[in-house]
Amino acid sequence: MTTADYDQASLPDLLPLYYRRLFPFSQYHRWLNYGGVTKNYFQNREFSFTLKDDIYVRYQSFSTQNELEKEMQKMNPYKIDIGAVYSHRPNQHNTVKSGSFQALEKELVFDIDMTDYDDVRSCCSGADICPKCWTLMTIAIRILDRALRDDFGFRHCLWVYSGRRGVHCWVCDEAARKLSVAARSAVAEYLSLVKGGDETVRKVVLSDPIHPFITESLTVVENYFSQYALLGQDILGSKEAVDKVLALLPEDILFLCATFHMIFGVHSVASLLAKHALMKTAFFNQMTAKKGHYFEMEIMLQYCYPRLDVNVSKGVNHLLKSPFSVHPKTGRISVPIDLRELDRFDPFEVPTISLICEELDQPKTEEEQDDNMENENKKEAGERRKMRDYKRTSLAKYVKLFDNFLEEMAHSRKGEVLKNSGECNLNP
Amino acid sequence: MQFYSRRKKLIGNSQTEQLYGHCLQFYGQPPIENISLSEFETFAVDRLKLLKTVENLGVSYVKTSELYTKKLDAEFSNLNFPYKIEADDWKPQTGPSEYEKRRKDHISHFILRLAYCQTEDLRRWFIQQEIDLFRYRFNDLPSKNIGQFLQYNNLHYHTISIDEKKKLMDKLVTSSFAVSGSTVDGKDFYKVPFQDALDLVRTRKVYLNGGYVYIPHQDIVTIVLNDFRTRLSKALALTARSLPAVQSDERLQPLLNHLSHAYVGQDYSIQKSIGKISLEQIDPLSAKSYPLCMRQLHRGLRDSHHLRHGGRMQYGLFLKGIGLTLDQALQFWRSEFVKGKVDADKFDKAYAYSIRHMFGKEGKRTDYTPYSCMKVILSNPPSQGDQHGCPFRHSDPELLKQKLQSYKVSPSGISQILELVKGMHYQLACQKYFELTHSIEDSGFSLNHPNQYFMESQKLLGGPGAGVKVEVKREDNPEVAAEITEDLDSFFQDA
């Protein structure tokens, strides 16, 4: 599969096709409607669109799935953001008495961006990514997903590729959607271990006792560390790189390392081993015993632990890029990530809008012709065609993933209803 | 609202005894009795002094340290507020009785709610100090009284079984500094939904599993604090809505207004030096009169021709505070960003909007005020790629040292500053920086705002940014107001 030569200039031609025949509106609406449990939940949701020529419009809202479809097909937005569920319809916010228009609920979200790791990755910088540094995202997802599930008890986390250089997480549990600003901020802080800006050298500082959360996260990091950091990023491979690592060590350890540095030189594997051996000698351990040997852990965490932007997670009204929207610079669709196949996820294999539009023109395969027969009885021809269309493209498996996610949520909701009604419908 | 019921009759003794049965309270019920105008004033001013002390001590000392406790104890005793539960003598030898102290505590809290409910900033300040105050007093309660307090206020948190404790033993011990194996065995652990224990979650001081935190009995204070904060926040919002009725009482209005202004101090949103600074003066001013945080931001902007959001807000509002007009600000930012990766068009589309927003010309047209030191130090810490924040708080000490060296601060001066930073006295460190860079012994002011630093510096150097002190207008009942104002002013001389 290739990216089918995406060119930003062709977006005006591709977007109408995408929104008419490929965007999964029915699933999208099913998601944001959340089973219709709360009145007007979908109607009071804010969307924002970025149109051609960087025109940005906020406070868009829609009464039905149909209205959403028609508007999107009319405007052909370059970017779609999802905001909060407000107290009133966002598109009528000007008519509401000042102060009464409030953001009430929203999914708990996280944004992991590769540029935040620029100080610790040597392969790329800025908006670039490559298979080597992508491992950082894999590590981030593993650590955060585990914590959100096990520690916080959240069950419905949707992980989405942002389309260029990172991933987003949408935590859709009811409890998550109802969290206050303070609560979101607390969750984000709990999950933060790497702190400090350009002025801070040592960004991870551990002390007794080591919380179970840190232990769990370290386990994940250790799984990936040799392959990712020592080999892939080659963090001990040059004097410059080694110096960066050494800068993270406390002063007395540094002194010891400097001595060994002189004896063993820099570029050889021997030095790598020597440093490792150094850490293990009794002499060394005695010297460090007083301070606590956390610097190894701190170094690993500084190089690998997820860096999240607390401000994105804190605000109830914060707008975040929508799943299934297109990234204008790369053409890639923001698709859900399958956690069961996480290690195999390749951002460069994610379909672009040009690819899937091209695939639409392919002749039908036999398999699809059988499908057609099945669906003959359902609805009119237009609908039928729409239901089949994305299935013919590389987008299909991602929509299926999304479907599974929605099924699970629906299942949970049913469980809640049964629990609350006090009935226990055991089959006789 | 509460104060209409001031006109009700005085309640009999037995009921009030019940009301003040505990020295600590959540302030759930407003007072319903008559009081004189002078008692009203005295109570309010005393509590205000107490809260101000709480604020100052909170910045200068660690809140659980002995020094902090001793100083706050002294203030309590001076101002006649209840603080020791054993002081159950309802009829002491000298001074006010415990009952009277508790009554004062109760009434003064509600008076201050009136003064501090009006704006977001005032509310935030009031809640912060009341919480610190509550925490200090709660920590003083012996444990049996804690149980009593919890029960009295309907906080039902469930304890976990012995079996569960055994299962979770390891996790409980490693999650909390103060918890050992014997603690787990001997004490009760409560299972609390994480939303009720945000402070413990945020700092990872407790075991969290499946959305519940497991708290040892002694840490229940944080939970209680959260509850207190929520209740107070809601109450203030309600109070704000009923305020117009109270403000129509001419006796109260001048007092309430003065109370809230005296507290938050100057906010630098109105400045007499507006338009007196030209853009060419900014570079030299940044070296002479900027506090370190702004100097860093300015440097960062000049070097990379860009600043991230946090930096743009902190610096942009500061510039507004020193007197830049909107047009000057737009010119300043545009000329810098254009040298970087942003072309003029993109600047106008993406960044100009937010600058106009800062000046109150967009959106809900709030005229945002420049950040105080407290705000810079306590909120929105910088992360990778950011330049904002307080260098004394957020920079690595080594890097801070290097920076001070490059700014030609003497070695002895640098070590003094680093000592203060180590003791977490960030504003004092900045004040020392002021003294060293202006070659004076004593700055003569207590630093709590970057724009204050700038103005004081300009005053010293005789520069254009010195500005004039802002007067608060008194429109109604000038005589009463003047009298009250004079009295109050004398209370706040220490600044």
Side-chain angles (χ1 to χ4, degrees), chain A residues 18-19 23-25 27-29 31-32 34 45 47 68 72 79-83 107 109 158-163 168-172 320-327 332-337 395 398-399 402 405-406:
Chain A
Y18 181 63
Y19 291 127
F23 189 92
F25 284 106
Q27 287 86 345
Y28 199 67
H29 177 264
W31 172 34
L32 296 173
Y34 285 98
R45 171 81 68 164
F47 296 85
L68 172 73
M72 277 173 63
K79 283 197 259 188
I80 305 168
D81 286 342
I82 301 180
E107 295 74 10
V109 294
L158 180 70
W159 286 93
V160 181
Y161 172 52
S162 74
H168 299 155
C169 179
W170 295 77
V171 185
C172 302
L320 186 65
K321 184 160 190 287
S322 167
F324 293 105
S325 70
V326 185
H327 195 300
R332 301 214 189 262
I333 312 290
S334 283
V335 293
I337 299 177
L395 200 59
Y398 299 102
V399 179
F402 194 45
F405 177 76
L406 297 172

Side-chain angles (χ1 to χ4, degrees), chain A residues 332-347:
Chain A
R332 301 214 189 262
I333 312 290
S334 283
V335 293
I337 299 177
D338 190 348
L339 258 57
R340 297 165 304 189
E341 310 270 309
L342 184 57
D343 287 310
R344 279 198 285 232
F345 180 81
D346 181 357

Side-chain angles (χ1 to χ4, degrees), chain B residues 219-251:
Chain B
D219 284 341
I220 262 319
V221 59
T222 329
I223 314 300
V224 174
L225 276 179
N226 273 341
D227 199 279
F228 182 57
R229 183 198 299 263
T230 320
R231 293 183 196 209
L232 188 51
S233 200
K234 284 201 190 123
L236 282 179
L238 274 173
T239 312
R241 263 177 250 165
S242 333
L243 202 56
V246 177
Q247 283 187 324
S248 62
D249 188 327
E250 315 177 320
R251 299 167 294 172

Side-chain angles (χ1 to χ4, degrees), chain B residues 123-407:
Chain B
R123 285 200 283 256
R124 203 177 301 138
W125 184 87
F126 182 65
I127 292 178
Q128 182 61 52
Q129 311 321 320
E130 284 285 341
I131 286 187
D132 283 345
L133 183 62
F134 189 92
R135 180 192 294 118
Y136 162 78
R137 292 164 74 184
F138 189 87
N139 277 330
D140 227 24
L141 285 179
S143 47
K144 69 171 166 70
N145 294 98
I146 293 184
Q148 241 177 34
F149 179 83
L150 287 177
Q151 247 184 2
Y152 193 71
N153 288 285
N154 290 319
L155 292 172
H156 303 297
Y157 292 122
H158 302 289
T159 53
I160 59 177
S161 68
I162 299 189
D163 283 334
E164 231 187 318
K165 269 203 277 186
K166 261 204 208 80
K167 222 172 41 169
L168 299 173
M169 171 75 82
D170 273 337
K171 301 273 164 70
L172 293 174
V173 170
T174 50
S175 10
S176 176
F177 192 71
V179 172
S180 63
S182 56
T183 324
V184 179
D185 282 332
K187 307 258 172 134
D188 278 332
F189 269 76
Y190 296 82
K191 187 172 164 181
V192 176
F194 85 89
Q195 290 93 329
D196 288 351
L198 293 179
D199 277 339
L200 292 174
V201 170
R202 178 194 308 273
T203 50
R204 244 178 274 117
K205 286 207 159 76
V206 72
Y207 179 55
L208 172 65
N209 187 267
Y212 288 92
V213 292
Y214 293 81
I215 307 196
H217 184 85
Q218 66 257 33
D219 284 341
I220 262 319
V221 59
T222 329
I223 314 300
V224 174
L225 276 179
N226 273 341
D227 199 279
F228 182 57
R229 183 198 299 263
T230 320
R231 293 183 196 209
L232 188 51
S233 200
K234 284 201 190 123
L236 282 179
L238 274 173
T239 312
R241 263 177 250 165
S242 333
L243 202 56
V246 177
Q247 283 187 324
S248 62
D249 188 327
E250 315 177 320
R251 299 167 294 172
L252 302 180
Q253 198 200 11
L255 176 69
L256 293 177
N257 277 339
H258 198 107
L259 280 174
S260 53
H261 279 113
Y263 269 89
V264 176
Q266 235 182 310
D267 58 8
Y268 300 94
S269 58
I270 319 156
Q271 51 292 346
K272 291 276 170 93
S273 55
I274 192 166
K276 291 221 177 87
I277 307 237
S278 72
L279 293 184
E280 298 83 53
Q281 293 173 303
I282 290 190
D283 274 326
L285 279 175
S286 78
K288 282 190 295 184
S289 293
Y290 275 17
L292 197 58
C293 54
M294 301 302 172
R295 193 170 181 180
Q296 179 174 298
L297 279 164
H298 182 74
R299 189 78 264 135
L301 178 63
R302 287 282 191 233
D303 287 343
S304 31
H305 310 297
H306 187 271
L307 273 185
R308 283 205 182 166
H309 179 81
R312 294 201 298 274
M313 286 304 285
Q314 188 176 324
Y315 191 30
L317 287 171
F318 171 79
L319 287 173
K320 185 172 86 152
I322 69 175
L324 246 56
T325 62
L326 174 57
D327 283 321
Q328 283 179 305
L330 285 169
Q331 202 187 331
F332 174 72
W333 290 100
R334 186 192 285 115
S335 68
E336 206 47 58
F337 271 56
V338 156
K339 289 188 203 142
K341 293 193 206 151
V342 177
D343 62 49
D345 261 346
K346 174 147 191 220
F347 177 84
D348 286 330
K349 267 186 219 161
Y351 297 100
Y353 176 90
S354 79
I355 296 172
R356 284 200 299 279
H357 206 275
M358 269 189 239
F359 278 76
K361 303 276 183 254
E362 295 284 356
K364 56 182 170 141
R365 320 244 152 186
T366 321
D367 204 11
Y368 291 97
T369 54
Y371 296 167
S372 63
C373 288
M374 276 298 218
K375 180 149 183 176
V376 173
I377 292 173
L378 295 176
S379 54
N380 196 17
S383 36
Q384 174 60 26
D386 284 326
Q387 297 277 30
H388 64 266
C390 170
F392 300 103
R393 163 79 180 85
H394 297 119
S395 280
D396 213 61
E398 262 313 301
L399 288 179
L400 179 61
K401 182 167 159 184
Q402 283 171 28
K403 183 163 286 184
L404 292 171
Q405 281 169 339
S406 76
Y407 291 151

